[in-house]
Amino acid sequence: MVKKRKSKPTEKLDVSNHILVPKHEKCSETEKKALLKKFNVEIKDLPKISINDAAIVDMNLQPGDVVKITRASPTAGESIFYRVVIEIK
Amino acid sequence: MDNKLFKEYEDLIPAKIIDDVKASLPDKISDSKVKKIMELVYEEYKNSLAEPGESVGLVAAESIGEPSTQMTLNTFHFAGVSEMNVTTGLPRIIEVLDGRAEISTKMMQIYLKSPYSEGKDIKKIAESIKETTLKEYIKETSIDIAESQMMLSLDEDKLSRVGMKPATIIKVLEKAFAKGYSFKPSKENENVLIIKSTSKEDDLNNIYKLKEKLQEIYVNGIKGIKQVLPVRKGEEYIVVTSGSNLKDVFKLEFVNPDKTITNDIFEIEKILGVEAARQAIIDEVAKVIDEQGLNVDLRHIMLVSDIMTTSATVLGVNRYGIVKEKPSVLARASFETPIKHIINASISGETDYLRSVIENVMINQVVPVGTGLPRLTVKVEKKGKKEKSEKE
């Protein structure tokens, strides 16, 4: 009775539409510089996200890239968060 | 109404507040009044922001800690009619904030695609998700000592309910035991399976051992789902389960993978990513606090959740988790196991820059919080005439 999805049984799950997953985008170099300047921080001070994280695994990122996350927030409507991509052993 | 008035505030005030203001303005209002309102709103918004140096973490700790003393220590919540109990109350909050990998009661809410979400075949679907072992399909086992063989009589009703035939059971068995045994339906009744050992030594002994093993053989369903319960939630039907397996449930045809959730934070982190885990922590803690009829501002929970997920994985609020991430030796030592931290720090020659609160309390210095944060620096002009002082 349990039918597996027919298309590709080994296909990777696309989680980007899941209600818990906010929108992840890659920051351009200029955005990245503006961000670091605005908050007066170095790149290592940003919150981190693993390169293998399910939400960004298809985005082809390198360690050191910055991901812009647009969260739906109950208090501010929409809030923007940044995470730097790192490699976890 | 003129949108220009709102435009200049777009970067200053969150969009949600501007929308709220727009919605509550009367139909006829002059631009000058709108301008005045926006000025007041902006003023109010600025006053409500956390000031630099405000110890928000401390406030969050108090705001979550105090109401949790009023929680019932051990409560079980019964979801629906069946005996599906879920850890709630203080034990659940501790579990979530501690970042425990193994939680006590795993639970999933499986949302279904239309038309199943309207209740079509809901029982059949729920049944098919549940992990079943051979035990549930066996009506009777008997051992024939003379022939050294075992007879399994299968439960016809149960098999037909999930659309299986005795032949499928034989296949499952053959897969589970690659060699050593033969499985055949008996001649009189196809619902009775005859199991014989193919090796010649110790026939009977093997058969006895097999009897125990057979019970636990996995037949169908999703591994890890121990109980299922179809529930009506609002307009649609969902399946609440005890036990959790997001990965395999997402692959099912009739499941809506965009709404299906679990209460296992670590599973969410693995399958949906760290941002989803952050949201899940907020939801789980807020749910417990809500159930208990308490009132904690969401911002405190959001702060804790943010801190738990800044390091790319979910860390618990304990000495193995976020406390370990602190850069200061003294701050770490002041929490738990001080001697271990001080010894390790002295071995590796760590430096403490005294930038945070607790180490400054220890050495009796002004703590960098609130008014203790700004320092006075003197900017010496080149020409030596004017001396300016400014806040750092």
Side-chain angles (χ1 to χ4, degrees):
Chain A
M1 175 61 204
V2 179
K3 283 177 204 155
K4 293 273 151 66
R5 222 173 257 181
K6 271 166 204 157
S7 50
K8 292 175 214 157
T10 52
E11 89 184 289
K12 260 196 180 154
L13 291 168
D14 179 24
V15 298
S16 59
N17 289 325
H18 196 276
I19 45 163
L20 286 177
V21 182
K23 192 169 142 202
H24 290 63
E25 291 166 290
K26 189 190 170 180
C27 270
S28 67
E29 281 301 308
T30 40
E31 269 180 295
K32 196 165 132 185
K33 267 186 195 137
L35 168 81
L36 296 180
K37 203 178 168 204
K38 185 184 169 194
F39 293 106
N40 190 21
V41 289
E42 283 173 47
I43 193 126
K44 66 172 170 44
D45 300 330
L46 288 175
K48 291 158 187 77
I49 189 166
S50 164
I51 196 161
N52 296 318
D53 195 275
I56 61 161
V57 78
D58 296 332
M59 284 165 68
N60 232 339
L61 298 168
Q62 298 297 317
D65 284 346
V66 173
V67 181
K68 179 182 173 187
I69 297 154
T70 315
R71 297 167 174 170
S73 156
T75 52
E78 204 173 69
S79 76
I80 291 168
F81 201 73
Y82 296 92
R83 283 180 189 271
V84 60
V85 178
I86 56 160
E87 214 156 354
I88 297 182
K89 284 142 235 161
Chain B
M1 213 181 315
D2 202 0
N3 267 332
K4 260 187 196 166
L5 285 166
F6 296 110
K7 226 170 196 160
E8 57 180 295
Y9 287 101
E10 253 171 23
D11 295 336
L12 303 172
I13 309 179
K16 198 190 172 199
I17 296 180
I18 297 185
D19 288 344
D20 284 354
V21 172
K22 273 184 193 167
S24 47
L25 283 178
D27 291 339
K28 281 182 186 175
I29 189 164
S30 66
D31 280 1
S32 61
K33 274 184 181 164
V34 173
K35 210 176 169 200
K36 208 160 189 184
I37 289 171
M38 285 315 285
E39 271 167 22
L40 285 171
V41 166
Y42 180 50
E43 197 67 23
E44 195 68 19
Y45 172 69
K46 267 204 301 190
N47 286 336
S48 69
L49 288 177
E51 277 158 31
E54 196 170 322
S55 33
V56 283
L58 190 72
V59 177
E62 283 181 343
S63 307
I64 299 173
E66 194 274 330
S68 65
T69 61
Q70 296 170 36
M71 276 182 206
T72 13
L73 274 177
N74 215 346
T75 40
F76 284 99
H77 162 73
F78 293 90
V81 220
S82 112
E83 288 153 26
M84 208 177 278
N85 52 29
V86 181
T87 324
T88 57
L90 200 56
R92 177 66 186 148
I93 289 205
I94 292 171
E95 201 173 73
V96 173
L97 297 186
D98 240 10
R100 299 219 177 121
E102 270 309 312
I103 61 169
S104 56
T105 43
K106 291 187 183 180
M107 209 187 95
M108 281 181 89
Q109 286 181 17
I110 301 174
Y111 284 79
L112 303 168
K113 278 184 184 155
S114 180
Y116 304 106
S117 61
E118 279 115 51
K120 190 194 168 208
D121 294 343
I122 185 82
K123 270 192 177 165
K124 216 172 174 186
I125 281 176
E127 196 92 349
S128 73
I129 293 170
K130 188 180 169 190
E131 174 182 354
T132 45
T133 51
L134 197 57
K135 185 167 56 184
E136 286 167 58
Y137 295 109
I138 300 174
K139 221 169 20 183
E140 201 188 335
T141 42
S142 53
I143 292 175
D144 186 340
I145 296 174
E147 295 276 331
S148 73
Q149 63 184 22
M150 178 160 56
M151 269 95 76
L152 290 182
S153 30
L154 301 168
D155 194 332
E156 250 177 287
D157 295 347
K158 253 203 140 161
L159 281 177
S160 64
R161 218 186 308 158
V162 289
M164 287 202 305
K165 282 183 181 152
T168 27
I169 296 281
I170 292 181
K171 263 188 197 160
V172 168
L173 285 170
E174 275 167 354
K175 214 177 162 189
F177 299 95
K179 53 185 175 177
Y181 302 98
S182 70
F183 306 94
K184 274 175 198 147
S186 81
K187 278 163 197 160
E188 300 89 52
N189 185 350
E190 65 157 0
N191 281 317
V192 176
L193 301 184
I194 295 177
I195 300 168
K196 265 189 167 177
S197 175
T198 46
S199 66
K200 276 163 195 170
E201 295 158 37
D202 275 341
D203 285 354
L204 204 54
N205 233 345
N206 276 342
I207 292 280
Y208 268 110
K209 274 186 200 159
L210 183 69
K211 193 184 162 191
E212 296 304 314
K213 274 192 201 163
L214 277 179
Q215 307 272 325
E216 298 305 322
I217 287 177
Y218 162 82
V219 180
N220 67 349
I222 303 287
K223 278 188 182 169
I225 308 278
K226 287 171 214 114
Q227 264 184 61
V228 286
L229 182 68
V231 196
R232 195 186 169 94
K233 192 181 182 187
E235 286 295 296
E236 58 182 328
Y237 283 91
I238 64 169
V239 180
V240 177
T241 69
S242 137
S244 166
N245 188 342
L246 267 190
K247 201 175 172 189
D248 290 347
V249 168
F250 277 174
K251 284 181 191 153
L252 296 175
E253 215 175 15
F254 46 80
V255 167
N256 180 351
D258 295 341
K259 284 169 95 181
T260 298
I261 51 171
T262 170
N263 69 349
D264 186 343
I265 308 283
F266 274 81
E267 201 178 348
I268 291 182
E269 192 212 325
K270 210 171 119 200
I271 311 280
L272 299 173
V274 71
E275 272 294 317
R278 185 200 89 105
Q279 190 58 48
I281 293 171
I282 298 173
D283 292 349
E284 287 294 323
V285 176
K287 195 173 89 189
V288 173
I289 289 172
D290 219 44
E291 263 167 18
Q292 302 272 329
L294 301 167
N295 195 11
V296 174
D297 197 294
L298 206 59
R299 278 161 261 240
H300 300 307
I301 304 166
M302 279 157 75
L303 179 74
V304 174
S305 186
D306 266 338
I307 295 295
M308 285 173 73
T309 53
T310 41
S311 313
T313 48
V314 174
L315 295 177
V317 188
N318 55 33
R319 75 176 125 119
Y320 312 106
I322 61 174
V323 177
K324 209 177 175 184
E325 301 280 304
K326 287 190 176 186
S328 159
V329 191
L330 292 175
R332 265 179 283 138
S334 74
F335 185 66
E336 271 165 15
T337 59
I339 295 169
K340 194 182 95 191
H341 280 120
I342 289 168
I343 288 174
N344 285 341
S346 56
I347 289 171
S348 58
E350 261 182 67
T351 315
D352 198 318
Y353 292 98
L354 305 175
R355 280 187 185 138
S356 163
V357 179
I358 188 74
E359 53 265 39
N360 281 299
V361 173
M362 281 186 199
I363 57 163
N364 200 16
Q365 275 192 355
V366 176
V367 289
V369 158
T371 49
L373 186 65
R375 303 271 158 81
L376 226 55
T377 53
V378 180
K379 198 175 178 182
V380 185
E381 295 275 315
K382 260 192 180 171
K383 286 174 184 168
K385 274 183 184 174
K386 277 180 191 170
E387 270 194 359
K388 244 190 193 173
S389 62
E390 60 174 33
K391 275 182 183 177
E392 194 181 80

